[in-house]
Amino acid sequence: MTEPTAHDARTATVAAAKAALKRQAIETPSWGYGNSGTRFKVFAQAGVPRSPREKLDDAAKVHEFTGIAPFVALHIPWDRVEGPDGYQDLAKYAEERGVKLGTINSNVFQDDDYKLGSVTNPDPAVRRKALRHLLECVDIMDATGSRDLKLWFSDGTNYPGQDDIRDRQGRLAEALQAVYERLGDEQRMVLEYKFFEPAFYATDVPDWGTAYAHCLKLGERAQVCVDTGHHAPGTNIEFIVALLLREGKLGAFDFNSRFYADDDLMAGAADPFQLFRIMYEVRRGGGLDGGSGIAFMLDQCHNVEAKIPAVIRSLMNVQEATAKALLVDPDALAAAQRSGDVLAANAVLMDAYNTDVRPLLAEVRTEQGLDPDPVAAYHRSGWAERIVAERADGQQAGWGA
Ligand code: PSV
Ligand code: MN
């Protein structure tokens, strides 16, 4: 038998990368299809959905052209539907269009009562109201068949002394415990952190450490959600990813890009190299293996760009970062690291990052019966023109700000 050559190793890496890329699934957010903006202005766009169903129609188109977006995340109350079977019917509607309802995102940040916080509010009546909403979200998960409940709290304080920081942690823990106890065996909660805004002095869940500490106490079905836009500039997000994966506590991603604040720009737009480094740590920690349990999701709004092509572009950016991460040669990297060859180790990563993976992804899509260029295929499809004509009347959906 002849020794395997470098060429054989490369062929095996590419084959494994293709298989992983074909398994990849990324949820798209219902709110990414609706109108959105900054606190200064929400710009309306022609053809924007007027209902949760129309958002699903758009999401289904995205999946049709990319093949990697089979789930759609809902945000309650932005996607509230009425009637005893409202959510079951919505789930059925989604399935008829080739997608499924995914993560249920709770919203305890857009009600006057929450001015001083939701689950950490000093007023027990407000805390009860917030908890009722979170439990209602689990009822909705039962109806939709969703696995994950996403929890993000805008809670925090603006001024030193405004409230007792320590007590607020206790109130938070109490609410999380109540939600955790309500979850079904197959359901999970993913706790998202964000270090600033709308509270600017002290945020109650500011970082991965706080989220991790709460999740650890709760148990296995409580996991941390990393929103890539929620860190201070310069934060090494891939380190957080590596650590959480190692501890079995990385439950979900909200992908987006951050230039200055929060999360409204396309994933991979601001810093594709950072996205690659994150995806490499995901791969290294087994997060790309089937059954890893990580919910990969976009959390973006498209304020000035066309929404559906922007969602498609974002998915392609995540896909490209993933493909590059999959091309890292683990044996060469490990050998360089073991021998302390700093430059060689760095070169292994950079070689993968600098590979043009677009031909590989075009091949993957062709093998899956998709158009190799999803954006062009979308533009050719006539969907954009159709929704502008059909959705001329009525109230466009927005994110409610
Ligand atoms: C908060 O900034 C956040 O990232 C949370 O995930 C919210 O639910 C989402 O944005 C709304 O877009
Ligand atoms: Mn988020």
Side-chain angles (χ1 to χ4, degrees):
M1 221 170 75
T2 52
E3 286 287 303
T5 62
H7 177 76
D8 294 337
R10 176 81 187 161
T11 310
T13 305
V14 170
K18 276 180 157 183
L21 289 164
K22 286 177 186 169
R23 278 199 306 271
Q24 190 169 33
I26 301 164
E27 287 190 40
T28 68
S30 70
W31 53 101
Y33 302 101
N35 281 328
S36 56
T38 64
R39 65 181 184 277
F40 300 105
K41 169 76 180 155
V42 171
F43 296 103
Q45 284 189 20
V48 156
R50 296 161 300 179
S51 64
R53 287 181 180 224
E54 288 184 348
K55 293 183 201 172
L56 291 173
D57 292 338
D58 288 357
K61 281 286 151 192
V62 167
H63 183 47
E64 183 183 320
F65 294 113
T66 61
I68 61 163
F71 295 100
V72 188
L74 299 187
H75 216 296
I76 309 298
W78 301 340
D79 296 310
R80 195 180 283 296
V81 289
E82 301 303 332
D85 298 326
Y87 290 102
Q88 264 148 346
D89 291 346
L90 194 65
K92 206 164 143 236
Y93 185 87
E95 281 185 37
E96 284 162 5
R97 274 145 196 83
V99 288
K100 283 195 160 100
L101 300 183
T103 303
I104 300 297
N105 288 253
S106 55
N107 182 327
V108 282
F109 51 89
Q110 282 184 314
D111 191 299
D112 284 340
D113 283 340
Y114 300 140
K115 187 167 76 173
L116 299 181
S118 62
V119 292
T120 66
N121 195 297
D123 180 348
V126 177
R127 298 208 291 275
R128 280 196 297 273
K129 173 175 167 163
L131 180 58
R132 266 199 309 279
H133 170 75
L134 302 180
L135 297 175
E136 184 207 350
C137 285
V138 186
D139 294 341
I140 293 171
M141 290 161 69
D142 290 342
T144 56
S146 301
R147 183 189 62 177
D148 292 336
L149 171 67
K150 169 104 61 67
L151 300 166
W152 174 71
F153 300 105
S154 60
D155 298 38
T157 48
N158 271 354
Y159 294 99
Q162 180 186 321
D163 195 7
D164 189 282
I165 289 175
R166 220 184 131 107
D167 283 353
R168 289 176 79 92
Q169 286 300 312
R171 296 171 203 150
L172 172 66
E174 215 174 282
L176 293 175
Q177 184 67 44
V179 178
Y180 192 79
E181 281 165 16
R182 166 65 184 84
L183 292 175
D185 290 346
E186 304 301 321
Q187 294 172 335
R188 315 185 311 173
M189 55 199 254
V190 290
L191 179 59
E192 179 177 354
Y193 57 91
K194 178 179 175 183
F195 85 116
F196 72 108
E197 197 201 39
F200 288 103
Y201 162 61
T203 305
D204 291 325
V205 190
D207 51 27
W208 69 267
T210 310
Y212 173 77
H214 281 283
C215 290
L216 195 64
K217 274 211 182 105
L218 290 165
E220 253 182 28
R221 282 169 297 132
Q223 297 266 320
V224 179
C225 171
V226 175
D227 183 313
T228 51
H230 286 182
H231 306 82
T235 302
N236 184 332
I237 301 176
E238 60 270 28
F239 173 81
I240 298 170
V241 167
L243 189 117
L244 288 174
L245 260 168
R246 191 167 183 276
E247 300 302 323
K249 277 290 181 203
L250 180 64
F253 274 103
D254 273 4
F255 286 120
N256 50 61
S257 279
R258 173 181 190 277
F259 279 108
Y260 293 99
D262 212 0
D263 44 26
D264 291 344
L265 302 170
M266 298 189 301
D271 189 348
F273 184 43
Q274 179 190 60
L275 189 55
F276 159 76
R277 298 190 314 261
I278 290 172
M279 292 316 295
Y280 173 70
E281 288 305 332
V282 171
R283 175 195 168 188
R284 171 72 182 85
L288 294 178
D289 302 345
S292 77
I294 301 173
F296 296 93
M297 196 185 92
L298 301 179
D299 179 13
Q300 301 175 170
C301 299
H302 304 287
N303 302 343
V304 296
E305 65 275 31
K307 296 170 195 298
I308 298 175
V311 176
I312 295 176
R313 170 59 60 200
S314 308
L315 292 169
M316 291 170 71
N317 288 349
V318 178
Q319 219 176 6
E320 284 176 20
T322 309
K324 291 177 182 207
L326 287 162
L327 291 184
V328 173
D329 179 339
D331 299 332
L333 185 58
Q337 289 171 344
R338 268 196 311 273
S339 66
D341 193 337
V342 176
L343 290 179
N346 179 243
V348 173
L349 273 193
M350 295 314 293
D351 277 350
Y353 177 66
N354 287 319
T355 307
D356 182 359
V357 292
R358 290 172 299 178
L360 174 72
L361 285 165
E363 224 174 280
V364 166
R365 292 185 193 112
T366 307
E367 284 171 18
Q368 289 179 298
L370 298 165
D371 192 293
D373 183 345
V375 175
Y378 171 73
H379 285 309
R380 276 198 316 273
S381 73
W383 183 254
E385 294 73 18
R386 191 176 142 187
I387 56 179
V388 168
E390 285 178 5
R391 299 175 184 168
D393 310 315
Q395 176 82 28
Q396 293 187 322
W399 55 306

